[in-house]
Amino acid sequence: NMVVAYVDINHFKPFNDAFGYSFGDEIILCLSNILRRILDAERDFIGHVGGDDFIVIFRSENWRERCEQVFVEFNAAYLDLLPQAQMEYWSNDRNGSRQRFGALTLAIGCVFPDFTSCTTHHHVSLLLADAKQSAKLMGGNAIFESRRRHKPSELQFTN
């Protein structure tokens, strides 16, 4: 059994704009260290997609508990890095509108691919993109478990 998870920091761009890229890099390194510490090095795999995006392949049975632990440790590390007075800040969202943001949170979208249907990494990444988006829509620290196991129909070619 295998669970593939997409880990993303919510509202990371406004955070970077407000606090600077070097502080943003520190947050990304912090998350990568937490993920490496929480995962089972013998059974699980972590990959850095780029920016604040990570892929985790869990073969650990207790993958959900590990995700919950990532939330706990990320929150604690974030509180250590950022003074309480700066937890809420103003920045521009992706549309350029000024708004108030709070503490950084994580969205984790999880899929359980059927590898008879999902035969390439592209198929899995399409499932993951949907799962990540659903986790982000939940708001706050959220794990979304997709029920979709097969590659999206638009990729099913006929001969």
Side-chain angles (χ1 to χ4, degrees), residues 13-79:
K13 183 187 179 328
F15 178 88
N16 247 356
D17 293 345
F19 295 102
Y21 290 101
S22 62
F23 195 42
D25 288 349
E26 205 174 328
I27 295 291
I28 291 169
L29 282 170
C30 176
L31 177 57
S32 78
N33 288 332
I34 290 167
L35 289 169
R36 283 198 338 249
R37 204 169 44 252
I38 299 277
L39 301 182
D40 180 342
E42 303 278 319
R43 301 183 51 81
D44 304 327
F45 170 83
I46 177 176
H48 185 212
V49 177
D52 62 309
D53 299 327
F54 293 87
I55 296 289
V56 179
I57 299 173
F58 287 105
R59 288 186 306 148
S60 301
E61 295 293 322
N62 63 343
W63 65 270
R64 190 173 236 299
E65 290 84 3
R66 290 176 190 271
C67 288
E68 297 286 351
Q69 189 60 33
V70 169
F71 291 151
V72 170
E73 293 202 20
F74 183 75
N75 285 345
Y78 182 73
L79 289 171

Side-chain angles (χ1 to χ4, degrees), residues 35-138:
L35 289 169
R36 283 198 338 249
R37 204 169 44 252
I38 299 277
L39 301 182
D40 180 342
E42 303 278 319
R43 301 183 51 81
D44 304 327
F45 170 83
I46 177 176
H48 185 212
V49 177
D52 62 309
D53 299 327
F54 293 87
I55 296 289
V56 179
I57 299 173
F58 287 105
R59 288 186 306 148
S60 301
E61 295 293 322
N62 63 343
W63 65 270
R64 190 173 236 299
E65 290 84 3
R66 290 176 190 271
C67 288
E68 297 286 351
Q69 189 60 33
V70 169
F71 291 151
V72 170
E73 293 202 20
F74 183 75
N75 285 345
Y78 182 73
L79 289 171
D80 283 346
L81 289 170
L82 196 67
Q84 188 68 37
Q86 292 180 312
M87 281 297 152
E88 292 197 2
Y89 58 93
W90 287 88
S91 189
N92 292 335
D93 64 16
R94 290 202 174 270
N95 302 321
S97 301
R98 196 123 177 97
Q99 74 176 58
R100 187 181 201 128
F101 292 92
L104 290 176
T105 56
L106 301 174
I108 304 178
C110 299
V111 297
F112 308 81
D114 175 346
F115 290 109
T116 59
S117 164
C118 296
T119 55
T120 73
H121 67 284
H122 296 293
H123 299 156
V124 177
S125 66
L126 286 169
L127 292 177
L128 277 174
D130 284 347
K132 177 191 86 160
Q133 199 54 40
S134 295
K136 287 180 102 46
L137 290 172
M138 292 168 72

